[in-house]
Amino acid sequence: DAYTDTERTKHLLEAAEHRCRPCFMEPQLARLPSPSCVITQATNIDESLIFQQMRRHLGSTAFDPSSRCRMMVEFITTLICLHDALVLPYTLAWNVKSNSTTMTIRCAFLSWWWGEMVLNFFTGY
């Protein structure tokens, strides 16, 4: 091959960055096999780096689990979990009557749990 593994990696990353085909796929520079062959044949390339760069530039539908937004969701979930762990046993043990405020809070927290469960399906771990 005319290109080294490092040069292949560089061209793939540049193509992902500019959202175009790698330059070695152009007819005048067609000295290399297709990108899928390059990736499978390259043994010295950090493939995860290539896919991370492509994912970063092309976008992703998964949320980053360590992002600031996701950490805020986890913090709120922890507070709601503490509330449920303290209030629900008290309410059930002493048969506390519920009013419109407590029912609103219960419905909001129940909705939160369902929303958080759905959000976990879109979080990439």
Side-chain angles (χ1 to χ4, degrees):
D1 285 358
Y3 285 67
T4 64
D5 290 340
T6 308
E7 289 173 318
R8 286 184 196 144
T9 305
K10 179 183 163 206
H11 288 297
L12 284 171
L13 292 175
E14 286 175 356
E17 197 170 283
H18 299 294
R19 295 183 182 193
C20 62
R21 294 181 353 174
C23 65
F24 57 77
M25 291 183 66
E26 297 299 323
Q28 67 271 20
L29 299 173
R31 294 184 283 174
L32 295 174
S34 68
S36 60
C37 296
V38 171
I39 291 172
T40 55
Q41 291 175 357
T43 55
N44 297 331
I45 296 176
D46 183 7
E47 292 178 6
S48 63
L49 176 65
I50 293 171
F51 292 117
Q52 286 173 1
Q53 290 288 332
M54 288 180 149
R55 195 176 303 122
R56 183 170 60 103
H57 289 290
L58 297 176
S60 174
T61 57
F63 294 106
D64 180 18
S66 57
S67 68
R68 188 176 268 187
C69 179
R70 187 69 178 130
M71 288 294 163
M72 183 59 79
V73 169
E74 292 297 327
F75 178 73
I76 293 170
T77 301
T78 303
L79 293 178
I80 292 173
C81 185
L82 284 172
H83 173 270
D84 286 351
L86 296 173
V87 172
L88 287 178
Y90 171 78
T91 304
L92 294 173
W94 282 275
N95 222 4
V96 177
K97 301 288 182 216
S98 57
N99 57 26
S100 64
T101 305
T102 57
M103 286 304 290
T104 303
I105 291 172
R106 283 185 192 171
C107 288
F109 287 175
L110 181 63
S111 299
W112 179 269
W113 287 118
W114 279 102
E116 206 261 340
M117 185 171 39
V118 169
L119 182 64
N120 282 326
F121 283 106
F122 296 100
T123 302
Y125 287 100

